[in-house]
Amino acid sequence: MSALAHASSLLRSGDVVAFPTETVYGLGANALDEASVAKIFAAKGRPAHNPLIIHVSDIEEARGLTSDWTPEAEALALAFWPGPLSLVLKKNSKIPGIVTAGGETVAIRCPDHPVALALLRACKFPLAAPSANRSNYISPSTAAHVIASLDGRIPLVLDGGPCKAGIESTVLSLVTSPAQILRPGPIPAAILERCGIQVALTNPAVDHLGKNIPQSPGQMPVHYAPTTLLLLRHKHEAAETVSSLLLQGKKVGYMRVSAETTFGFDCTEAIMKVENPENNSSPAVVDMPEEPTAYAKQLYAALHLLDSYNLEVIVCEQPPSSPIWAGITDRLNRAATTTN
């Protein structure tokens, strides 16, 4: 039996499977079966008030999951699917409440990865799929990241190589006017607006007790975080912070933006250049790309790598304050212990 056939068999029997997408690896289950979806929450240790994104194989399948597939949804799906855009719309009765945390809206997307699409077509049902990692931990951009986080908790990981986008999808709510970006991602507002849709960037506060139901994942204040203390510092302060921590005898990692970065788009943690990972008198340095698309692709790999070195602190240079860096800034702000 092929790996794909095995995966679809597990999913049809009500189990969970980790699979690659162009953004990050997802942990999938039959989105229309409450008991199956519950296994996602159990494997991740995910709180029930944090909703899931549903993955579909095409636009037609998405239309069948909503009670109001709008002209704006049609235009955006035609323009950006398959791709890293999740659309929040009013759900219909097919979707169990566990997927939406009891809310009346659902986030849907069509992933741009051949393995993900082949799996969806083999199953013949949509997959609810958050990132395939323990809740609140660094998202996985390789199969190895999934195994490190969920080994023993799930039956299968489909390995599709490193994810090409590297951070989670842009989430756009179409149940408000103007449309609102609930989670920034690879597709910025300016690109979305080319479809003739007004877009606002918002970050609604979410009650940890679940009194205010979030419309999508990625809205918790703490998320995507390494186990190592992560500090964000402006570029001119980061090196000084690293030096100060080393003088205190701390084992320090340093994520800096460098024009000398050579790994670019083809890097995985296996070949990423890290200077001095075992030398406590100097930091373990990861040079990150200056270009935001390349930086996003390597973000989680860099955090996973530094988190594996038994460091005490990771210092990361704050990205530029620009709309094209919004998705990266969002992930780092939620992962950081403090930005002060």
Side-chain angles (χ1 to χ4, degrees), residues 46-61:
R46 185 184 181 91
H49 62 265
N50 195 2
L52 307 177
I53 290 175
I54 291 182
H55 293 64
V56 296
S57 60
D58 54 33
I59 295 176
E60 184 179 357
E61 188 172 29

Side-chain angles (χ1 to χ4, degrees), residues 53-271:
I53 290 175
I54 291 182
H55 293 64
V56 296
S57 60
D58 54 33
I59 295 176
E60 184 179 357
E61 188 172 29
R63 292 191 196 107
L65 298 173
T66 73
S67 62
D68 185 19
W69 181 260
T70 64
E72 292 80 10
E74 184 76 8
L76 289 161
L78 287 171
F80 297 107
W81 285 3
L85 176 65
S86 297
L87 300 176
V88 174
L89 297 151
K90 293 179 181 179
K91 78 177 188 75
N92 65 23
S93 59
K94 292 180 181 178
I95 301 173
I98 190 172
V99 172
T100 63
E104 295 304 313
T105 61
V106 63
I108 305 173
R109 86 178 189 96
C110 179
D112 186 15
H113 195 289
V115 174
L117 290 172
L119 183 61
L120 285 159
R121 290 163 185 156
C123 291
K124 296 182 170 55
F125 50 70
L127 295 176
S131 57
N133 56 280
R134 298 193 313 276
S135 185
N136 293 335
Y137 188 58
I138 310 165
S139 297
S141 56
T142 69
H145 297 158
V146 179
I147 293 168
S149 188
L150 295 178
D151 190 29
R153 294 173 176 240
I154 61 175
L156 183 67
V157 181
L158 289 175
D159 188 349
C163 300
K164 66 182 181 183
I167 61 172
E168 295 82 356
S169 62
T170 301
V171 178
L172 181 69
S173 174
L174 296 178
V175 298
T176 61
S177 183
Q180 294 181 332
I181 291 181
L182 303 181
R183 180 179 69 187
I187 305 176
I191 301 298
L192 295 171
E193 287 180 334
R194 292 178 184 175
C195 287
I197 297 164
Q198 186 181 356
V199 175
L201 177 62
T202 61
N203 185 13
V206 176
D207 191 314
H208 282 285
L209 299 179
K211 294 177 182 177
N212 299 322
I213 298 172
Q215 291 183 340
S216 83
Q219 296 181 265
M220 299 295 109
V222 178
H223 208 359
Y224 320 111
T227 56
T228 308
L229 180 77
L230 176 64
L231 303 179
L232 285 184
R233 292 292 183 267
H234 292 292
K235 189 175 182 67
H236 64 280
E237 300 172 333
E240 181 180 338
T241 300
V242 169
S243 297
S244 176
L245 290 166
L246 290 171
L247 287 173
Q248 297 171 40
K250 302 287 188 183
K251 292 187 284 187
V252 183
Y254 184 16
M255 288 174 60
R256 66 186 181 189
V257 175
S258 172
E260 302 303 316
T261 303
T262 57
F263 52 78
F265 284 88
D266 296 323
C267 169
T268 70
E269 70 273 36
I271 60 173

Side-chain angles (χ1 to χ4, degrees), residues 32-50:
L32 307 182
D33 181 71
E34 182 174 354
S36 298
V37 174
K39 293 182 180 180
I40 295 175
F41 287 87
K44 286 176 59 73
R46 185 184 181 91
H49 62 265
N50 195 2

